[in-house]
Amino acid sequence: MSNLTKNTKLNAWLDEMIALTNPANVVLIDGTDEQAEALRAEACASGELFKLNQEKLPGCYLHRTAVNDVARVENRTFICTTKKEDAGPTNNWMSPKECYDKLTPLFRNSYAGKTMYVIPYSMGVVGSPFAKNGIELTDSIYVVLNMLIMTRVGTAVLDAMGTDGDFIKGLHARATMDENNRYICHFPEDNTIWSVNSGYGGNVLLGKKCFALRIASYLGRNEGWMAEHMLILGIENPEGEVKYVAAAFPSACGKTNLAMLIPPALYAKKGYKVWCVGDDIAWIRKGPDGRLWAANPENGFFGVAPGTNAKSNPNALASTRANTIFTNVVLNEDDNTVWWEGLGEAPENALDWKGQPWNKDSGVKGAHPNSRFTAPAVNCPCISSEFENPAGVPISAIVFGGRRAKLAPLVYQSRSWNHGVFVGSIMASETTAAAAGAVGVVRRDPMAMLPFCGYNMADYWQHWIDIGAGLDEDKAPKIFNVNWFRKDDDGNFLWPGFGDNMRVLEWIIKRCEGKVDAEETAIGFVPKAEDINLEGIEDEVSEDQLKEILSVDNSLWEDEAKGIEEFYAKFGDRLPKALSDELNTLKANLEK
Ligand code: GTP
Ligand code: SPV
Ligand code: MN
């Protein structure tokens, strides 16, 4: 038996995985700069990474994925539970045995002639009571270097695991990169993740969606907490009090942007500030004070590059100016820096995301729409002082939202916790480039967790209801829905978005504090137009336009109710009664 570590379970599993994958050698990632630097040099020598201009972008590198490997592959992502019903109607399912049998030959000898990197990582502050440990085995230096940014990696994690501590077992191999044999498989009953034939982000950085959402949501249900696809931000008022909000939007629907929001000048002048605790994942549990507390288990940002600029998200841009890995963006050959659509003036001499010469006037996009930056959280100018607090922050409001050109108003508030769970469960959003497949198609994406829930979605909703039932009403976060993406009939966004979303957050916080009135509609509480502050954007948003974005069209909602009913029917009698009751209330309200 190998004795690479002090943990006997880990050593036994390593033996098994080494026998399966047959690496030429095994390297333990210790978290030191020396080791990381040597790996960067090796990746540059092999072409896996390209070293960017170290004066302008110190510590920054560019990586290009295979052209057929640029996003998560939801149709090849599986939840492997013994019983099919436990995965539920919204997940792809295989039995664990079938899946292990199918994938074992794909992994066999897949590391031959290559190095196995053993990455010990912690989701959450190392050794803290809420942190969970994982080991990822990979044949990719790109994965190692990304994990070093996105999670807390190294021997400290092995120390925290001790001699017999548990860990999530992650096995990744690029193998042959055959897209017809690409699989992202989760075994929640075995704390295991197997990912093969991909080298892209969410498919292979196993701490992120695979562990911190799919496996963690399953663990959370069993252990009484929640793993959510949510950003966490703090809003500091001029008196210095900070209120925290957690918000779930589907992939590429604005979490990173909202998490790092810079308040408009009029708010900044008064002394308002926004602090980022997390931009993608929240682990949420009831604290000793009876409130819900949310912590970000990650240590970096894997953010969408296109659209990020000095106006839309200066904090994200600043986060990418050092020690960042860029994936599938444009290389500016004049000065060895990077570019993407929306960043500003396009470079004259450039290579596109595929590495081909690119002409900015060609009409073809240079960066892939799902090109990304992997940036350390410490780089973010507005990182919260609570970022390293293992318990996280107390949540005043939970916000759901998606891309809806029509229907959903700019913001509305649920009438109760259970109504809020209903509001989350009926979320729908236009699909984006974050996953392979068609873009712009409206689909149901409950709580932005459709691709990330590791068990039956109906049981997940019941878990939400149970969590709420365990909270005193005055301590439970208030639940809202927002839509930054409403469009007019010509396809123009009706709301300026980005920093101006602060105006909506202000209303949300005031509602939590009971400081502002609202209009009750069939779907919940909507702001009175005069309560959304338009000072400074009167030219962009007229009073009438605001009224239009806040409007609730009952006839459109009647069609929506039919869609919800069809969606709910998929869950049969596993659907929580509280949700069918809420649907009936909605239908009754619409008839009034
Ligand atoms: P994932 O990392 O995939 O989970 O995405 P995300 O939810 O963090 O999305 P992100 O903040 O990266 O935004 C994705 C896209 O939405 C970018 O192209 C943004 O420019 C755009 N976007 C973000 N916020 C707004 C907004 O308020 N209004 C408009 N119109 N677009 C926005
Ligand atoms: C998402 O798609 O929601 C992301 C990017 O945050 S990935 O890590 O690829 O899942
Ligand atoms: Mn995400």
Side-chain angles (χ1 to χ4, degrees), residues 209 229 249-258 279-280 302-304 306-308 372 403 434 484-485 493 495-498 501:
K209 295 310 187 351
H229 191 201
F249 309 155
S251 302
C253 289
K255 288 183 300 303
T256 303
N257 277 273
L258 191 67
D279 82 324
D280 199 48
F302 187 60
V304 176
T308 305
R372 299 255 169 183
R403 281 179 192 262
W484 315 140
F485 299 95
F493 288 118
W495 178 248
F498 300 101
N501 294 332

PDB file of all heavy atoms in Angstrom, residues 209 229 249-258 279-280 302-304 306-308 372 403 434 484-485 493 495-498 501, ligand 1:
ATOM      1  N   LYS A 209     -18.873  23.029  -9.172  1.00  0.00           N
ATOM      2  CA  LYS A 209     -20.265  22.602  -9.324  1.00  0.00           C
ATOM      3  C   LYS A 209     -20.452  21.157  -8.848  1.00  0.00           C
ATOM      4  O   LYS A 209     -21.459  20.809  -8.239  1.00  0.00           O
ATOM      5  CB  LYS A 209     -20.723  22.773 -10.772  1.00  0.00           C
ATOM      6  CG  LYS A 209     -20.753  24.239 -11.241  1.00  0.00           C
ATOM      7  CD  LYS A 209     -21.474  25.076 -10.266  1.00  0.00           C
ATOM      8  CE  LYS A 209     -21.784  26.517 -10.541  1.00  0.00           C
ATOM      9  NZ  LYS A 209     -21.346  27.322 -11.580  1.00  0.00           N
ATOM     10  N   HIS A 229     -26.641  27.857  -5.543  1.00  0.00           N
ATOM     11  CA  HIS A 229     -25.938  28.558  -6.637  1.00  0.00           C
ATOM     12  C   HIS A 229     -26.174  30.064  -6.449  1.00  0.00           C
ATOM     13  O   HIS A 229     -26.912  30.691  -7.208  1.00  0.00           O
ATOM     14  CB  HIS A 229     -26.504  28.061  -7.972  1.00  0.00           C
ATOM     15  CG  HIS A 229     -25.717  28.479  -9.173  1.00  0.00           C
ATOM     16  ND1 HIS A 229     -26.253  28.499 -10.442  1.00  0.00           N
ATOM     17  CD2 HIS A 229     -24.427  28.872  -9.326  1.00  0.00           C
ATOM     18  CE1 HIS A 229     -25.338  28.895 -11.316  1.00  0.00           C
ATOM     19  NE2 HIS A 229     -24.226  29.133 -10.667  1.00  0.00           N
ATOM     20  N   PHE A 249     -29.011  33.364  -9.409  1.00  0.00           N
ATOM     21  CA  PHE A 249     -29.346  33.576 -10.817  1.00  0.00           C
ATOM     22  C   PHE A 249     -28.693  32.434 -11.598  1.00  0.00           C
ATOM     23  O   PHE A 249     -27.581  32.020 -11.250  1.00  0.00           O
ATOM     24  CB  PHE A 249     -28.783  34.892 -11.367  1.00  0.00           C
ATOM     25  CG  PHE A 249     -29.072  36.131 -10.555  1.00  0.00           C
ATOM     26  CD1 PHE A 249     -28.218  37.230 -10.645  1.00  0.00           C
ATOM     27  CD2 PHE A 249     -30.185  36.230  -9.731  1.00  0.00           C
ATOM     28  CE1 PHE A 249     -28.462  38.391  -9.915  1.00  0.00           C
ATOM     29  CE2 PHE A 249     -30.439  37.389  -8.999  1.00  0.00           C
ATOM     30  CZ  PHE A 249     -29.570  38.475  -9.089  1.00  0.00           C
ATOM     31  N   PRO A 250     -29.319  31.982 -12.681  1.00  0.00           N
ATOM     32  CA  PRO A 250     -28.693  30.922 -13.480  1.00  0.00           C
ATOM     33  C   PRO A 250     -27.330  31.348 -14.034  1.00  0.00           C
ATOM     34  O   PRO A 250     -26.969  32.530 -13.981  1.00  0.00           O
ATOM     35  CB  PRO A 250     -29.699  30.702 -14.615  1.00  0.00           C
ATOM     36  CG  PRO A 250     -30.997  31.169 -14.054  1.00  0.00           C
ATOM     37  CD  PRO A 250     -30.658  32.330 -13.169  1.00  0.00           C
ATOM     38  N   SER A 251     -26.610  30.381 -14.583  1.00  0.00           N
ATOM     39  CA  SER A 251     -25.277  30.638 -15.125  1.00  0.00           C
ATOM     40  C   SER A 251     -25.320  31.777 -16.136  1.00  0.00           C
ATOM     41  O   SER A 251     -26.222  31.832 -16.979  1.00  0.00           O
ATOM     42  CB  SER A 251     -24.758  29.374 -15.802  1.00  0.00           C
ATOM     43  OG  SER A 251     -24.735  28.328 -14.859  1.00  0.00           O
ATOM     44  N   ALA A 252     -24.326  32.661 -16.030  1.00  0.00           N
ATOM     45  CA  ALA A 252     -24.200  33.818 -16.937  1.00  0.00           C
ATOM     46  C   ALA A 252     -25.430  34.721 -16.907  1.00  0.00           C
ATOM     47  O   ALA A 252     -25.829  35.279 -17.920  1.00  0.00           O
ATOM     48  CB  ALA A 252     -23.866  33.371 -18.357  1.00  0.00           C
ATOM     49  N   CYS A 253     -26.030  34.876 -15.730  1.00  0.00           N
ATOM     50  CA  CYS A 253     -27.174  35.778 -15.578  1.00  0.00           C
ATOM     51  C   CYS A 253     -26.897  36.868 -14.553  1.00  0.00           C
ATOM     52  O   CYS A 253     -27.827  37.489 -14.034  1.00  0.00           O
ATOM     53  CB  CYS A 253     -28.430  35.006 -15.206  1.00  0.00           C
ATOM     54  SG  CYS A 253     -29.035  34.016 -16.581  1.00  0.00           S
ATOM     55  N   GLY A 254     -25.633  37.102 -14.193  1.00  0.00           N
ATOM     56  CA  GLY A 254     -25.332  38.324 -13.453  1.00  0.00           C
ATOM     57  C   GLY A 254     -24.906  38.185 -12.005  1.00  0.00           C
ATOM     58  O   GLY A 254     -24.872  39.186 -11.285  1.00  0.00           O
ATOM     59  N   LYS A 255     -24.536  36.981 -11.538  1.00  0.00           N
ATOM     60  CA  LYS A 255     -24.118  36.861 -10.126  1.00  0.00           C
ATOM     61  C   LYS A 255     -22.817  37.615  -9.853  1.00  0.00           C
ATOM     62  O   LYS A 255     -22.734  38.400  -8.909  1.00  0.00           O
ATOM     63  CB  LYS A 255     -23.954  35.379  -9.724  1.00  0.00           C
ATOM     64  CG  LYS A 255     -25.280  34.640  -9.585  1.00  0.00           C
ATOM     65  CD  LYS A 255     -25.099  33.212  -9.116  1.00  0.00           C
ATOM     66  CE  LYS A 255     -24.249  32.389 -10.054  1.00  0.00           C
ATOM     67  NZ  LYS A 255     -24.729  32.328 -11.451  1.00  0.00           N
ATOM     68  N   THR A 256     -21.789  37.361 -10.672  1.00  0.00           N
ATOM     69  CA  THR A 256     -20.496  38.024 -10.430  1.00  0.00           C
ATOM     70  C   THR A 256     -20.679  39.537 -10.481  1.00  0.00           C
ATOM     71  O   THR A 256     -20.136  40.276  -9.655  1.00  0.00           O
ATOM     72  CB  THR A 256     -19.450  37.560 -11.468  1.00  0.00           C
ATOM     73  OG1 THR A 256     -19.355  36.137 -11.392  1.00  0.00           O
ATOM     74  CG2 THR A 256     -18.092  38.177 -11.191  1.00  0.00           C
ATOM     75  N   ASN A 257     -21.474  39.989 -11.445  1.00  0.00           N
ATOM     76  CA  ASN A 257     -21.693  41.430 -11.576  1.00  0.00           C
ATOM     77  C   ASN A 257     -22.387  42.017 -10.360  1.00  0.00           C
ATOM     78  O   ASN A 257     -21.990  43.069  -9.865  1.00  0.00           O
ATOM     79  CB  ASN A 257     -22.489  41.729 -12.848  1.00  0.00           C
ATOM     80  CG  ASN A 257     -21.573  41.783 -14.059  1.00  0.00           C
ATOM     81  OD1 ASN A 257     -21.020  42.834 -14.367  1.00  0.00           O
ATOM     82  ND2 ASN A 257     -21.373  40.646 -14.703  1.00  0.00           N
ATOM     83  N   LEU A 258     -23.426  41.362  -9.870  1.00  0.00           N
ATOM     84  CA  LEU A 258     -24.133  41.922  -8.711  1.00  0.00           C
ATOM     85  C   LEU A 258     -23.257  41.845  -7.462  1.00  0.00           C
ATOM     86  O   LEU A 258     -23.242  42.768  -6.644  1.00  0.00           O
ATOM     87  CB  LEU A 258     -25.456  41.183  -8.485  1.00  0.00           C
ATOM     88  CG  LEU A 258     -26.380  41.861  -7.468  1.00  0.00           C
ATOM     89  CD1 LEU A 258     -26.884  43.201  -7.999  1.00  0.00           C
ATOM     90  CD2 LEU A 258     -27.556  40.971  -7.093  1.00  0.00           C
ATOM     91  N   ASP A 279     -19.351  34.931  -5.298  1.00  0.00           N
ATOM     92  CA  ASP A 279     -20.005  35.274  -6.570  1.00  0.00           C
ATOM     93  C   ASP A 279     -20.707  34.089  -7.229  1.00  0.00           C
ATOM     94  O   ASP A 279     -21.275  34.249  -8.299  1.00  0.00           O
ATOM     95  CB  ASP A 279     -18.989  35.877  -7.548  1.00  0.00           C
ATOM     96  CG  ASP A 279     -18.173  34.798  -8.262  1.00  0.00           C
ATOM     97  OD1 ASP A 279     -17.862  33.759  -7.619  1.00  0.00           O
ATOM     98  OD2 ASP A 279     -17.865  34.983  -9.445  1.00  0.00           O
ATOM     99  N   ASP A 280     -20.673  32.896  -6.602  1.00  0.00           N
ATOM    100  CA  ASP A 280     -21.253  31.754  -7.319  1.00  0.00           C
ATOM    101  C   ASP A 280     -21.922  30.711  -6.421  1.00  0.00           C
ATOM    102  O   ASP A 280     -22.918  30.135  -6.812  1.00  0.00           O
ATOM    103  CB  ASP A 280     -20.161  31.070  -8.166  1.00  0.00           C
ATOM    104  CG  ASP A 280     -20.723  30.186  -9.273  1.00  0.00           C
ATOM    105  OD1 ASP A 280     -21.610  30.649 -10.004  1.00  0.00           O
ATOM    106  OD2 ASP A 280     -20.283  29.034  -9.388  1.00  0.00           O
ATOM    107  N   PHE A 302     -14.417  32.204 -10.961  1.00  0.00           N
ATOM    108  CA  PHE A 302     -14.318  31.663 -12.315  1.00  0.00           C
ATOM    109  C   PHE A 302     -15.368  32.418 -13.120  1.00  0.00           C
ATOM    110  O   PHE A 302     -16.486  31.944 -13.302  1.00  0.00           O
ATOM    111  CB  PHE A 302     -14.558  30.151 -12.292  1.00  0.00           C
ATOM    112  CG  PHE A 302     -14.315  29.469 -13.611  1.00  0.00           C
ATOM    113  CD1 PHE A 302     -13.072  29.515 -14.225  1.00  0.00           C
ATOM    114  CD2 PHE A 302     -15.333  28.767 -14.243  1.00  0.00           C
ATOM    115  CE1 PHE A 302     -12.846  28.879 -15.444  1.00  0.00           C
ATOM    116  CE2 PHE A 302     -15.116  28.118 -15.453  1.00  0.00           C
ATOM    117  CZ  PHE A 302     -13.877  28.182 -16.062  1.00  0.00           C
ATOM    118  N   GLY A 303     -14.990  33.629 -13.556  1.00  0.00           N
ATOM    119  CA  GLY A 303     -15.996  34.560 -14.072  1.00  0.00           C
ATOM    120  C   GLY A 303     -16.070  34.599 -15.586  1.00  0.00           C
ATOM    121  O   GLY A 303     -15.103  34.297 -16.288  1.00  0.00           O
ATOM    122  N   VAL A 304     -17.241  35.004 -16.084  1.00  0.00           N
ATOM    123  CA  VAL A 304     -17.469  35.203 -17.519  1.00  0.00           C
ATOM    124  C   VAL A 304     -16.670  36.430 -17.957  1.00  0.00           C
ATOM    125  O   VAL A 304     -16.840  37.509 -17.390  1.00  0.00           O
ATOM    126  CB  VAL A 304     -18.968  35.459 -17.786  1.00  0.00           C
ATOM    127  CG1 VAL A 304     -19.221  35.759 -19.263  1.00  0.00           C
ATOM    128  CG2 VAL A 304     -19.818  34.288 -17.316  1.00  0.00           C
ATOM    129  N   PRO A 306     -16.500  37.948 -21.382  1.00  0.00           N
ATOM    130  CA  PRO A 306     -17.161  38.921 -22.256  1.00  0.00           C
ATOM    131  C   PRO A 306     -18.139  39.807 -21.483  1.00  0.00           C
ATOM    132  O   PRO A 306     -18.865  39.334 -20.609  1.00  0.00           O
ATOM    133  CB  PRO A 306     -17.908  38.045 -23.270  1.00  0.00           C
ATOM    134  CG  PRO A 306     -17.130  36.776 -23.312  1.00  0.00           C
ATOM    135  CD  PRO A 306     -16.644  36.576 -21.897  1.00  0.00           C
ATOM    136  N   GLY A 307     -18.120  41.076 -21.801  1.00  0.00           N
ATOM    137  CA  GLY A 307     -19.003  42.023 -21.113  1.00  0.00           C
ATOM    138  C   GLY A 307     -18.373  42.637 -19.877  1.00  0.00           C
ATOM    139  O   GLY A 307     -18.875  43.635 -19.357  1.00  0.00           O
ATOM    140  N   THR A 308     -17.273  42.047 -19.376  1.00  0.00           N
ATOM    141  CA  THR A 308     -16.617  42.606 -18.187  1.00  0.00           C
ATOM    142  C   THR A 308     -15.745  43.777 -18.635  1.00  0.00           C
ATOM    143  O   THR A 308     -14.855  43.601 -19.476  1.00  0.00           O
ATOM    144  CB  THR A 308     -15.733  41.543 -17.508  1.00  0.00           C
ATOM    145  OG1 THR A 308     -16.531  40.394 -17.233  1.00  0.00           O
ATOM    146  CG2 THR A 308     -15.133  42.070 -16.208  1.00  0.00           C
ATOM    147  N   ARG A 372     -13.531  32.677 -19.906  1.00  0.00           N
ATOM    148  CA  ARG A 372     -13.562  32.920 -18.451  1.00  0.00           C
ATOM    149  C   ARG A 372     -12.227  33.410 -17.934  1.00  0.00           C
ATOM    150  O   ARG A 372     -11.175  33.218 -18.556  1.00  0.00           O
ATOM    151  CB  ARG A 372     -13.895  31.594 -17.732  1.00  0.00           C
ATOM    152  CG  ARG A 372     -15.260  31.006 -18.099  1.00  0.00           C
ATOM    153  CD  ARG A 372     -16.260  31.186 -17.023  1.00  0.00           C
ATOM    154  NE  ARG A 372     -17.618  30.868 -17.447  1.00  0.00           N
ATOM    155  CZ  ARG A 372     -18.677  31.011 -16.661  1.00  0.00           C
ATOM    156  NH1 ARG A 372     -18.532  31.433 -15.422  1.00  0.00           N
ATOM    157  NH2 ARG A 372     -19.888  30.725 -17.107  1.00  0.00           N
ATOM    158  N   ARG A 403     -33.211  35.571 -16.634  1.00  0.00           N
ATOM    159  CA  ARG A 403     -33.357  36.377 -17.846  1.00  0.00           C
ATOM    160  C   ARG A 403     -34.738  36.136 -18.405  1.00  0.00           C
ATOM    161  O   ARG A 403     -34.997  35.053 -18.956  1.00  0.00           O
ATOM    162  CB  ARG A 403     -32.354  35.894 -18.910  1.00  0.00           C
ATOM    163  CG  ARG A 403     -30.965  36.357 -18.734  1.00  0.00           C
ATOM    164  CD  ARG A 403     -30.080  35.799 -19.840  1.00  0.00           C
ATOM    165  NE  ARG A 403     -28.708  36.054 -19.456  1.00  0.00           N
ATOM    166  CZ  ARG A 403     -27.995  37.089 -19.900  1.00  0.00           C
ATOM    167  NH1 ARG A 403     -28.503  37.915 -20.781  1.00  0.00           N
ATOM    168  NH2 ARG A 403     -26.768  37.279 -19.469  1.00  0.00           N
ATOM    169  N   ALA A 434     -23.054  29.328 -21.035  1.00  0.00           N
ATOM    170  CA  ALA A 434     -22.341  28.629 -19.960  1.00  0.00           C
ATOM    171  C   ALA A 434     -22.476  27.109 -20.063  1.00  0.00           C
ATOM    172  O   ALA A 434     -21.691  26.374 -19.488  1.00  0.00           O
ATOM    173  CB  ALA A 434     -22.822  29.105 -18.596  1.00  0.00           C
ATOM    174  N   TRP A 484     -33.401  41.678 -14.337  1.00  0.00           N
ATOM    175  CA  TRP A 484     -32.680  42.830 -14.928  1.00  0.00           C
ATOM    176  C   TRP A 484     -32.854  42.851 -16.442  1.00  0.00           C
ATOM    177  O   TRP A 484     -32.342  43.726 -17.118  1.00  0.00           O
ATOM    178  CB  TRP A 484     -31.171  42.781 -14.652  1.00  0.00           C
ATOM    179  CG  TRP A 484     -30.659  42.461 -13.287  1.00  0.00           C
ATOM    180  CD1 TRP A 484     -29.579  41.664 -12.999  1.00  0.00           C
ATOM    181  CD2 TRP A 484     -31.111  42.958 -12.020  1.00  0.00           C
ATOM    182  NE1 TRP A 484     -29.362  41.627 -11.635  1.00  0.00           N
ATOM    183  CE2 TRP A 484     -30.301  42.406 -11.006  1.00  0.00           C
ATOM    184  CE3 TRP A 484     -32.168  43.801 -11.626  1.00  0.00           C
ATOM    185  CZ2 TRP A 484     -30.470  42.666  -9.647  1.00  0.00           C
ATOM    186  CZ3 TRP A 484     -32.348  44.059 -10.272  1.00  0.00           C
ATOM    187  CH2 TRP A 484     -31.504  43.499  -9.312  1.00  0.00           C
ATOM    188  N   PHE A 485     -33.488  41.822 -16.997  1.00  0.00           N
ATOM    189  CA  PHE A 485     -33.371  41.558 -18.434  1.00  0.00           C
ATOM    190  C   PHE A 485     -34.680  41.773 -19.210  1.00  0.00           C
ATOM    191  O   PHE A 485     -34.835  41.275 -20.305  1.00  0.00           O
ATOM    192  CB  PHE A 485     -32.845  40.134 -18.655  1.00  0.00           C
ATOM    193  CG  PHE A 485     -31.473  39.912 -18.049  1.00  0.00           C
ATOM    194  CD1 PHE A 485     -31.331  39.366 -16.770  1.00  0.00           C
ATOM    195  CD2 PHE A 485     -30.327  40.268 -18.734  1.00  0.00           C
ATOM    196  CE1 PHE A 485     -30.076  39.168 -16.203  1.00  0.00           C
ATOM    197  CE2 PHE A 485     -29.064  40.073 -18.173  1.00  0.00           C
ATOM    198  CZ  PHE A 485     -28.935  39.527 -16.910  1.00  0.00           C
ATOM    199  N   PHE A 493     -33.021  46.345 -23.674  1.00  0.00           N
ATOM    200  CA  PHE A 493     -33.220  46.206 -22.227  1.00  0.00           C
ATOM    201  C   PHE A 493     -33.926  47.447 -21.684  1.00  0.00           C
ATOM    202  O   PHE A 493     -33.567  48.581 -22.035  1.00  0.00           O
ATOM    203  CB  PHE A 493     -31.876  46.031 -21.515  1.00  0.00           C
ATOM    204  CG  PHE A 493     -31.252  44.685 -21.740  1.00  0.00           C
ATOM    205  CD1 PHE A 493     -30.019  44.562 -22.374  1.00  0.00           C
ATOM    206  CD2 PHE A 493     -31.897  43.521 -21.323  1.00  0.00           C
ATOM    207  CE1 PHE A 493     -29.436  43.317 -22.591  1.00  0.00           C
ATOM    208  CE2 PHE A 493     -31.326  42.267 -21.532  1.00  0.00           C
ATOM    209  CZ  PHE A 493     -30.095  42.168 -22.169  1.00  0.00           C
ATOM    210  N   TRP A 495     -34.089  48.162 -18.443  1.00  0.00           N
ATOM    211  CA  TRP A 495     -33.474  48.581 -17.182  1.00  0.00           C
ATOM    212  C   TRP A 495     -31.953  48.651 -17.391  1.00  0.00           C
ATOM    213  O   TRP A 495     -31.377  47.721 -17.981  1.00  0.00           O
ATOM    214  CB  TRP A 495     -33.822  47.571 -16.073  1.00  0.00           C
ATOM    215  CG  TRP A 495     -33.204  47.869 -14.749  1.00  0.00           C
ATOM    216  CD1 TRP A 495     -32.228  47.142 -14.121  1.00  0.00           C
ATOM    217  CD2 TRP A 495     -33.506  48.957 -13.880  1.00  0.00           C
ATOM    218  NE1 TRP A 495     -31.909  47.715 -12.930  1.00  0.00           N
ATOM    219  CE2 TRP A 495     -32.671  48.842 -12.743  1.00  0.00           C
ATOM    220  CE3 TRP A 495     -34.397  50.044 -13.943  1.00  0.00           C
ATOM    221  CZ2 TRP A 495     -32.702  49.751 -11.680  1.00  0.00           C
ATOM    222  CZ3 TRP A 495     -34.427  50.945 -12.887  1.00  0.00           C
ATOM    223  CH2 TRP A 495     -33.584  50.790 -11.767  1.00  0.00           C
ATOM    224  N   PRO A 496     -31.286  49.726 -16.947  1.00  0.00           N
ATOM    225  CA  PRO A 496     -29.848  49.851 -17.229  1.00  0.00           C
ATOM    226  C   PRO A 496     -28.980  48.779 -16.553  1.00  0.00           C
ATOM    227  O   PRO A 496     -27.913  48.443 -17.059  1.00  0.00           O
ATOM    228  CB  PRO A 496     -29.500  51.248 -16.710  1.00  0.00           C
ATOM    229  CG  PRO A 496     -30.629  51.671 -15.830  1.00  0.00           C
ATOM    230  CD  PRO A 496     -31.838  50.933 -16.288  1.00  0.00           C
ATOM    231  N   GLY A 497     -29.435  48.244 -15.431  1.00  0.00           N
ATOM    232  CA  GLY A 497     -28.723  47.118 -14.805  1.00  0.00           C
ATOM    233  C   GLY A 497     -27.397  47.501 -14.168  1.00  0.00           C
ATOM    234  O   GLY A 497     -27.134  48.673 -13.868  1.00  0.00           O
ATOM    235  N   PHE A 498     -26.551  46.495 -13.952  1.00  0.00           N
ATOM    236  CA  PHE A 498     -25.203  46.654 -13.370  1.00  0.00           C
ATOM    237  C   PHE A 498     -25.279  47.526 -12.104  1.00  0.00           C
ATOM    238  O   PHE A 498     -26.075  47.224 -11.232  1.00  0.00           O
ATOM    239  CB  PHE A 498     -24.239  47.173 -14.440  1.00  0.00           C
ATOM    240  CG  PHE A 498     -24.134  46.239 -15.615  1.00  0.00           C
ATOM    241  CD1 PHE A 498     -24.824  46.494 -16.809  1.00  0.00           C
ATOM    242  CD2 PHE A 498     -23.399  45.057 -15.529  1.00  0.00           C
ATOM    243  CE1 PHE A 498     -24.758  45.594 -17.880  1.00  0.00           C
ATOM    244  CE2 PHE A 498     -23.329  44.167 -16.600  1.00  0.00           C
ATOM    245  CZ  PHE A 498     -24.003  44.455 -17.759  1.00  0.00           C
ATOM    246  N   ASN A 501     -28.469  48.439 -10.374  1.00  0.00           N
ATOM    247  CA  ASN A 501     -29.238  47.443  -9.617  1.00  0.00           C
ATOM    248  C   ASN A 501     -29.243  47.771  -8.128  1.00  0.00           C
ATOM    249  O   ASN A 501     -30.068  47.266  -7.366  1.00  0.00           O
ATOM    250  CB  ASN A 501     -28.703  46.037  -9.878  1.00  0.00           C
ATOM    251  CG  ASN A 501     -28.927  45.614 -11.326  1.00  0.00           C
ATOM    252  OD1 ASN A 501     -29.862  46.082 -11.966  1.00  0.00           O
ATOM    253  ND2 ASN A 501     -28.063  44.745 -11.845  1.00  0.00           N
TER     254      ASN A 501
HETATM  255  P1  GTP B   1     -21.737  32.103 -13.924  1.00  0.00           P
HETATM  256  O1  GTP B   1     -20.298  32.358 -13.612  1.00  0.00           O
HETATM  257  O2  GTP B   1     -21.925  31.348 -15.220  1.00  0.00           O
HETATM  258  O3  GTP B   1     -22.479  31.450 -12.816  1.00  0.00           O
HETATM  259  O4  GTP B   1     -22.402  33.539 -14.297  1.00  0.00           O
HETATM  260  P2  GTP B   1     -22.872  34.788 -13.418  1.00  0.00           P
HETATM  261  O5  GTP B   1     -24.267  34.560 -12.934  1.00  0.00           O
HETATM  262  O6  GTP B   1     -21.846  35.146 -12.415  1.00  0.00           O
HETATM  263  O7  GTP B   1     -22.996  35.950 -14.533  1.00  0.00           O
HETATM  264  P3  GTP B   1     -22.098  37.257 -14.771  1.00  0.00           P
HETATM  265  O8  GTP B   1     -22.194  38.235 -13.649  1.00  0.00           O
HETATM  266  O9  GTP B   1     -20.751  36.832 -15.198  1.00  0.00           O
HETATM  267  O10 GTP B   1     -22.860  37.913 -16.021  1.00  0.00           O
HETATM  268  C1  GTP B   1     -23.057  37.211 -17.220  1.00  0.00           C
HETATM  269  C2  GTP B   1     -23.446  38.146 -18.327  1.00  0.00           C
HETATM  270  O11 GTP B   1     -24.597  38.917 -17.965  1.00  0.00           O
HETATM  271  C3  GTP B   1     -22.337  39.151 -18.652  1.00  0.00           C
HETATM  272  O12 GTP B   1     -22.188  39.225 -20.045  1.00  0.00           O
HETATM  273  C4  GTP B   1     -22.859  40.450 -18.095  1.00  0.00           C
HETATM  274  O13 GTP B   1     -22.382  41.534 -18.827  1.00  0.00           O
HETATM  275  C5  GTP B   1     -24.375  40.307 -18.166  1.00  0.00           C
HETATM  276  N1  GTP B   1     -25.044  41.059 -17.068  1.00  0.00           N
HETATM  277  C6  GTP B   1     -24.757  40.989 -15.745  1.00  0.00           C
HETATM  278  N2  GTP B   1     -25.526  41.848 -15.023  1.00  0.00           N
HETATM  279  C7  GTP B   1     -26.332  42.476 -15.917  1.00  0.00           C
HETATM  280  C8  GTP B   1     -27.361  43.467 -15.793  1.00  0.00           C
HETATM  281  O14 GTP B   1     -27.692  43.959 -14.710  1.00  0.00           O
HETATM  282  N3  GTP B   1     -27.994  43.841 -16.946  1.00  0.00           N
HETATM  283  C9  GTP B   1     -27.647  43.318 -18.167  1.00  0.00           C
HETATM  284  N4  GTP B   1     -28.313  43.737 -19.236  1.00  0.00           N
HETATM  285  N5  GTP B   1     -26.668  42.379 -18.322  1.00  0.00           N
HETATM  286  C10 GTP B   1     -26.024  41.961 -17.214  1.00  0.00           C
END
